Amino acid sequence: MVTFILLKNSSIVQKKIVFYTKLRTCLLFLFMLLNSFVAHGDQIFLSSQALIKTSDVAVTGKLILKQNITLTNKQVIRVGAIYIEQVFKGLPPSQQSILIELPPFTANGMLKSTDVVLEIGNEGLWLLKKHTNGLYRIERPDALLPKEKATILFK
């Protein structure tokens, strides 16, 4: 009878161990799943000279217009117009304005931590990159510099 009780208790203990192991595994999986949605956006620091070198267009100017455009596939893109005061790189010197794509750049309209939110009236030295859709983008928060920096950087 003692042997039967020990065997019975050991099977109960084994069942508890298995249950707690499964529970721990499920909780660990749930924890990892919930943490996988946490995004960490980091950008490498670039000097102003490096930003200029990697940009396709460098102009001083002012954002004068923001507009939503609906494409034929119902996707909405946001564009802005920059009135150009001076061209330093990438455009003919006589060009007076340029269209840029404004964030969010994703189809679902979600902003990322690296997106630059612009308002009408923002002005300065714009360091723009040409996107595959043909529009220019300001892709980094540090790619819109004070206008005064242009005279220092483009001597």
Side-chain angles (χ1 to χ4, degrees):
M1 179 156 177
V2 174
T3 308
F4 177 74
I5 294 173
L6 286 176
L7 288 176
K8 185 176 179 185
N9 284 343
S10 70
S11 71
I12 292 173
V13 169
Q14 284 180 340
K15 286 180 183 179
K16 284 184 179 181
I17 290 172
V18 169
F19 170 76
Y20 285 117
T21 303
K22 286 182 179 180
L23 179 64
R24 238 185 331 203
T25 304
C26 288
L27 289 174
L28 180 62
F29 176 76
L30 183 63
F31 174 78
M32 291 174 65
L33 180 68
L34 292 174
N35 273 340
S36 68
F37 296 109
V38 177
H40 300 283
D42 293 326
Q43 284 189 335
I44 190 168
F45 172 77
L46 292 177
S47 67
S48 299
Q49 290 83 2
L51 284 171
I52 290 168
K53 194 175 196 177
T54 61
S55 68
D56 297 316
V57 169
V59 297
T60 53
K62 183 177 192 175
L63 185 68
I64 58 170
L65 175 76
K66 288 169 58 171
Q67 183 71 42
N68 289 344
I69 297 175
T70 304
L71 304 177
T72 55
N73 65 356
K74 306 288 187 219
Q75 180 185 357
V76 176
I77 62 169
R78 298 179 64 224
V79 295
I82 297 174
Y83 173 76
I84 297 174
E85 295 173 10
Q86 188 172 0
V87 176
F88 295 99
K89 178 182 177 184
L91 297 174
S94 61
Q95 188 162 332
Q96 295 182 342
S97 63
I98 186 171
L99 281 179
I100 63 170
E101 185 177 4
L102 301 172
F105 302 125
T106 59
N108 65 6
M110 297 291 289
L111 284 170
K112 298 181 302 196
S113 63
T114 55
D115 286 341
V116 182
V117 179
L118 299 168
E119 299 297 330
I120 292 177
N122 286 133
E123 61 182 323
L125 173 60
W126 299 78
L127 304 173
L128 306 171
K129 300 272 290 173
K130 191 167 191 173
H131 190 258
T132 55
N133 64 11
L135 292 172
Y136 292 93
R137 289 180 174 181
I138 183 165
E139 293 188 331
R140 302 172 54 95
D142 52 354
L144 177 58
L145 301 170
K147 199 181 332 183
E148 299 75 32
K149 279 229 171 190
T151 55
I152 298 166
L153 296 169
F154 292 99
K155 289 181 189 179

